[in-house]
Each structure stands twice: as C-alpha cells, then as structure tokens.
Amino acid sequence: MFFCLSAIAQEEEQQQLQDLQQQIKQKQQLIESNLATAKELQKQLKQQELDIAISAKALAATQKQLTDNIKQQSSLTERQQKLQKQQKQQEAILAKQLRSAYMAGNHDYAKMIFNLQSASTFERMLTYYQYLNAERQQQIDEFKQLGIELDAIAAELVEKQQQLESLKTSQQKQQQKLTAQQQSRQVTLASLNKKIDSEAAKVEQLQINEQTLLQALQAAQERAQRQSSQGAVSLNGLAKFKGHLQQPVKGQMRKLFGARRQGQVRWKGILIYGNEGAPVQAVQDAQVLYADWLKGFGLVIALDHGEGYMSLYGHNQALLKEVGETVKKGDTIALVGQSGGQSRPGLYFEIRHKGSPVNPSQWLSR
C-alpha cells in the first residue's frame, strides 16, 4: 500500500515537473516571439526617428534663416534711418548754398569784369566762385548718391519681407510634418513597449543595446586609428577639466550612474531632461568619433577628446555634426530629443576613459 502511494506521488511530481517545464518553454517562446516582433518594431521606430531627425534639422535651419532675416531687416532699417537723416542734412546744406548763391546773384561774371578795379581782385573772386560751385556740385552728387542708396535699401527690405513670409510658410509646414511624424512614432513606441513587458525581455533588450553600443564605439575607434595618420588632430583629454566641464544641455539632471537599471544591468551615464529641440553642446574640444542611430540610445554622437577620453550624447532629435569633424567647447553638436524609445525629451550623457564609463556627475561643473 505504501509502495503504491509512493509511486502515485512520484508520478504526480513528475507530471508537475513536466507541466512546469512546458510553462517555462511556452513563456520562453512567447518572449522570443515578442522580441522578434519588437525587432521589427525597432526597425520601424528607427526609420521614424531618422525621418524626425531630417524634419527637425530642416526646421532648425529654417528657424536660423528666420532669425538671420529679422536681424538683416533690422540692420537695413537702421541704415535707412541714418541715410534719411544724412539726406535731410544734405538738403539743409544745399538749400543754404542755393540761398547764398541767389543772394549774391548780382555778381555775375560780366558785371564782375566791368565793375572790379583790379585783375587781382577779379582773380580772387573768380577762385572763390569756382570753389563754391565745386562744393555745391559735390553736395548735389552726395545727395543723389544718398537717394540711390535709399532706393536700393527700400527694394532690399521689400525682398527680405517676402523671404520672411516664405520662410514662415515653410516653417509652418515643417512643424506640421514633424508633429505628424512624432505622433506615428508614439504609436510604434506603444506597440513596442507592449512586446517588451516582462522583466526577462527588458533585461535582455538592455544587454543587447549595451553590447551594440560597445561594438559601435569600438569599430569607430578602430576606424579613427586607421585614419589618424592622415592629419591627426591634437587633443588633450579631459583630465585637467574634471569638475569644471560645462553641462551639455540646460535642464534637470538625474544622477543615475551606477544605479540598478533592470536586473543586473546598471546605468553607465546620466539623464538630463530638457526642452525638445534645445541645443546640445560639446563639453570640450574634440573630434566626432561616431554619429548615427543606435537601438536603445536613438541618435547618438560620440566625441573623442584625446588621451583615451570620450563623451557620448544620446536620445537626440537630430545630429548636427558628422564623423571626422572637429568641434570646440560649447559648439552645438545636436538637438535635444527623445529618440531611442524615450517618452520625454532629454539627453543621455556618458564619459568614458579608455573604454570604461566614469561618473559624469563628478566631471561636470556644479
């Protein structure tokens, strides 16, 4: 009887183990299926974010043209006002000269020849009149030139105003296109997040993203080393600037470095929340090492500062510099965004030394 009960218990345990294994297998298959779908959604997200980058870059360029146009109009208006003031002054001077000439009108050449007692007096008067005529002619020429320049400025102001209206129309269309693209991205992002909803899937995704980043940076460094013989840029690293680097973007900083992110995955950098489209600036002189879209990080730009130091800027809306370009401290290298699947605009920022991440908070000025 005891043997029979023991056998039944073993069979139940065996069945439970098989059921558990089957559940694990089904769960694993579901995760793999979701990750496969997520992979396709990632491709879709990438393309949408690259399209957004193109629109955002065009919009930023249009905004700069608008600003430049307004400055040019202001400068032209200021020049116009100065010329109009000069013109009035010239009118007054010319009027005064004409009045003087009219008042002295009885001294024509014929009268002077018959009335003057001596040749020396006549010569002096003739020289005086020649001087007055030359001065008057100069004033008339200057007056004409002012009129020509004022007409040219007036025409240029009309042209600039037409350009301004055209730029405003372009800006409106670009903004509408950008908004539509961002809405499409939100739909894709929501679908993606549903497919990566389990702890295991999230951890696996983060590990894949980090590995992809490391591979991309390593490949970029190797490429830069191969090209270094073709006119290397002199860079002095970041060591002497520790604690004094300017913040790459204005905004609220989240000091996440070293904190647990998901499972055993930890943060390698910090997040700085800012306004979408705000300028992202280089923290120090550098050469652009990498500039492209990366899964999980979105549009990324990495700068080589020399001496093994590198700074990395992720989740950008658009990249404004290309690989190989040199940048100076404070140069705008990108625009703040939420690429890489972020739900709010901000900048992901890392500093690495010889490949290992260091705490950026300790390097930025307080």
Side-chain angles (χ1 to χ4, degrees), residues 230-300:
Q230 303 171 5
V233 178
S234 178
L235 299 168
N236 301 314
L238 298 176
K240 61 183 178 182
F241 303 110
K242 187 172 183 178
H244 301 287
L245 292 175
Q246 69 171 30
Q247 196 164 305
V249 68
K250 293 179 180 178
Q252 177 190 353
M253 186 190 299
R254 286 188 64 195
K255 299 179 181 179
L256 297 166
F257 182 82
R260 192 183 300 277
R261 188 171 182 182
Q262 201 87 39
Q264 297 302 311
V265 180
R266 296 183 178 274
W267 285 94
K268 307 298 189 299
I270 60 173
L271 279 172
I272 305 173
Y273 294 122
N275 297 322
E276 191 163 29
V280 176
Q281 299 174 324
V283 295
Q284 193 50 248
D285 298 355
Q287 186 171 29
V288 179
L289 183 69
Y290 182 87
D292 205 344
W293 190 94
L294 276 174
K295 186 167 59 176
F297 296 92
L299 285 160
V300 174

Side-chain angles (χ1 to χ4, degrees), residues 179-331:
T179 301
Q181 289 170 330
Q182 288 171 333
Q183 289 171 347
S184 297
R185 173 192 172 275
Q186 285 299 109
V187 173
T188 303
L189 185 58
S191 300
L192 181 61
N193 289 334
K194 284 181 181 178
K195 292 298 177 183
I196 309 175
D197 59 351
S198 69
E199 177 79 7
K202 289 177 181 177
V203 170
E204 185 174 348
Q205 194 67 43
L206 288 172
Q207 289 173 337
I208 292 171
N209 294 346
E210 286 195 0
Q211 191 61 34
T212 303
L213 174 64
L214 290 174
Q215 290 172 352
L217 293 177
Q218 185 177 351
Q221 285 177 316
E222 289 173 356
R223 183 169 57 250
Q225 287 171 359
R226 288 195 301 270
Q227 297 172 348
S228 62
S229 59
Q230 303 171 5
V233 178
S234 178
L235 299 168
N236 301 314
L238 298 176
K240 61 183 178 182
F241 303 110
K242 187 172 183 178
H244 301 287
L245 292 175
Q246 69 171 30
Q247 196 164 305
V249 68
K250 293 179 180 178
Q252 177 190 353
M253 186 190 299
R254 286 188 64 195
K255 299 179 181 179
L256 297 166
F257 182 82
R260 192 183 300 277
R261 188 171 182 182
Q262 201 87 39
Q264 297 302 311
V265 180
R266 296 183 178 274
W267 285 94
K268 307 298 189 299
I270 60 173
L271 279 172
I272 305 173
Y273 294 122
N275 297 322
E276 191 163 29
V280 176
Q281 299 174 324
V283 295
Q284 193 50 248
D285 298 355
Q287 186 171 29
V288 179
L289 183 69
Y290 182 87
D292 205 344
W293 190 94
L294 276 174
K295 186 167 59 176
F297 296 92
L299 285 160
V300 174
I301 187 164
L303 304 182
D304 178 9
H305 299 281
E307 305 295 329
Y309 286 96
M310 178 197 306
S311 59
L312 183 142
Y313 313 73
H315 302 323
N316 298 292
Q317 185 184 56
L319 304 178
L320 305 182
K321 299 293 181 181
E322 296 181 1
V323 172
E325 285 191 68
T326 55
V327 296
K328 293 291 184 182
K329 172 186 174 183
D331 283 356

Side-chain angles (χ1 to χ4, degrees), residues 131-147:
Y131 170 77
L132 284 179
N133 282 333
E135 181 68 18
R136 191 182 308 148
Q137 187 60 50
Q138 182 183 349
Q139 295 293 338
I140 291 170
D141 290 343
E142 288 180 2
F143 186 80
K144 286 180 179 178
Q145 187 58 41
L146 283 172

Side-chain angles (χ1 to χ4, degrees), residues 66-83:
L66 278 167
T67 303
D68 290 345
N69 184 289
I70 291 168
K71 285 181 181 178
Q72 289 167 1
Q73 285 202 57
S74 177
S75 178
L76 284 169
T77 302
E78 187 179 345
R79 175 67 179 157
Q80 186 184 49
Q81 290 170 349
K82 285 182 180 179
L83 289 175

